[in-house]
Amino acid sequence: MPAVDVPVLAVDGPPGAGKTSVLAKLIPFLGSAAAWFTEPNARLARGLDAPTHPSPAGHSLWFLRHEQAKARAMQRLAADPATRLILCDRNHLGALAYCYATHAEDSLPYRTARDFYARHVAPALPERVLTVILLVSPAESLRRRGGAAELPRWKQWFDPDLLERLHHFYTHIAPGLCPSPPRVIDTDHASIRDVLGEIAEHLRAADITLPGDPTDVPIAGSPEQDSAFARAYQQLGGLEALGHTASAPFDYRHGTVQLYQLGALHRTPDARTILWNPLANDPTLRAAS
């Protein structure tokens, strides 16, 4: 596989650490200079791309295979001359963290997940992969998210024991599973602007030039959903599938995009609204040459 010259930045960490909030500011700031992947979402996968078994083990394997497909897709995205950086909301660490922390009887054993990563994902990764791990204490994670799950299927992510084990994984194990030494940021007492500043410093240390200072981006409250995306949002499952809005709509490569907690929607130049999926070889996701 040919090497990818475009650097990759992956942001990972436990629930409530601020990953989506930070990326919802960073992605519009970078604009067409970046290609990006939302958090993997098995609920939005269809057909042959959907998990083959609805168990925790089946979903963990789906996430790891998604990382393998993503690594391959990066080759195509990097070939676009407009792309200067590839961004990822989570990477392989997310699936490994879950396998390490869960107590579900039908979960994928951590060692099996780690071996799958080593054999199938790591060899497909580009040469320049930078990782930022956002840490948050279990107590602060619960406080930020209201202390209780908004939907029943999110309940496990509010289990204090699971959060403790996730915190241990990201603190003591995850750094050794990154292709290069990660930037670890404790967000308990850090603002979004603080985290953006540390990420910018991490990129500059790797000789990656940014089109300005991301700490200058406006830090507003909760964005509203644009009416252009409302119908597609509901058809795809609404809150259950995509979560709350994470960004205001922004122009991106001749279309308009709105970010959500668990995905994104793209309004194409011909007024179609589709799920954002850079794994697909869709010419609407590429800049005009």
Side-chain angles (χ1 to χ4, degrees), residues 33-265:
W36 47 275
F37 294 86
T38 60
E39 181 174 349
N41 189 337
R43 284 181 171 263
L44 295 175
R46 298 289 186 269
L48 295 176
D49 293 330
T52 56
H53 196 278
S55 65
H59 275 75
S60 294
L61 276 173
W62 180 88
F63 277 101
L64 288 167
R65 289 181 178 130
H66 182 278
E67 291 306 313
Q68 184 181 27
K70 187 164 71 176
R72 291 170 176 167
M74 288 175 185
Q75 307 290 334
R76 171 176 50 81
L77 294 172
D80 189 326
T83 303
R84 297 290 179 267
L85 179 68
I86 296 174
L87 286 168
C88 302
D89 186 346
R90 289 198 180 280
N91 60 359
H92 60 279
L93 295 179
L96 297 179
Y98 175 78
C99 293
Y100 177 86
T102 185
H103 293 300
E105 293 182 359
D106 52 352
S107 63
L108 188 70
Y110 171 69
R111 180 173 294 180
T112 302
R114 188 189 60 193
D115 289 348
F116 184 99
Y117 163 72
R119 293 178 183 177
H120 302 291
V121 181
L125 289 174
E127 292 184 2
R128 299 182 67 195
V129 179
L130 306 174
T131 306
V132 170
I133 296 174
L134 303 185
L135 290 178
V136 64
S137 65
E140 179 63 14
S141 171
L142 289 171
R143 187 194 70 78
R144 291 178 182 177
R145 295 178 296 133
E150 190 172 0
L151 294 173
R153 75 178 183 90
W154 296 343
K155 185 177 179 180
Q156 67 172 326
W157 302 111
F158 289 79
D159 175 13
D161 181 58
L162 179 76
L163 293 175
E164 288 284 357
R165 289 176 62 79
L166 287 173
H167 188 270
H168 177 84
F169 175 87
Y170 280 109
T171 303
H172 300 289
I173 300 174
L177 297 170
C178 297
S180 60
R183 182 81 168 217
V184 181
I185 305 172
D186 189 332
T187 71
D188 268 20
H189 305 290
S191 66
I192 294 176
R193 189 167 277 112
D194 294 333
V195 177
L196 287 171
E198 290 211 39
I199 291 175
E201 185 179 326
H202 189 48
L203 292 173
R204 292 189 197 102
D207 295 324
I208 298 170
T209 302
L210 298 177
D213 186 352
T215 62
D216 289 337
V217 301
I219 307 295
S222 299
E224 294 185 1
Q225 185 184 56
D226 188 277
S227 59
F229 298 101
R231 183 177 179 182
Y233 176 83
Q234 293 301 331
Q235 289 176 335
L236 288 165
L239 180 66
E240 181 77 22
L242 283 161
H244 294 286
T245 53
S247 79
F250 58 95
D251 294 335
Y252 184 78
R253 296 189 176 183
H254 312 291
T256 306
V257 172
Q258 184 153 32
L259 290 165
Y260 300 85
Q261 289 172 309
L262 300 171
L265 295 176

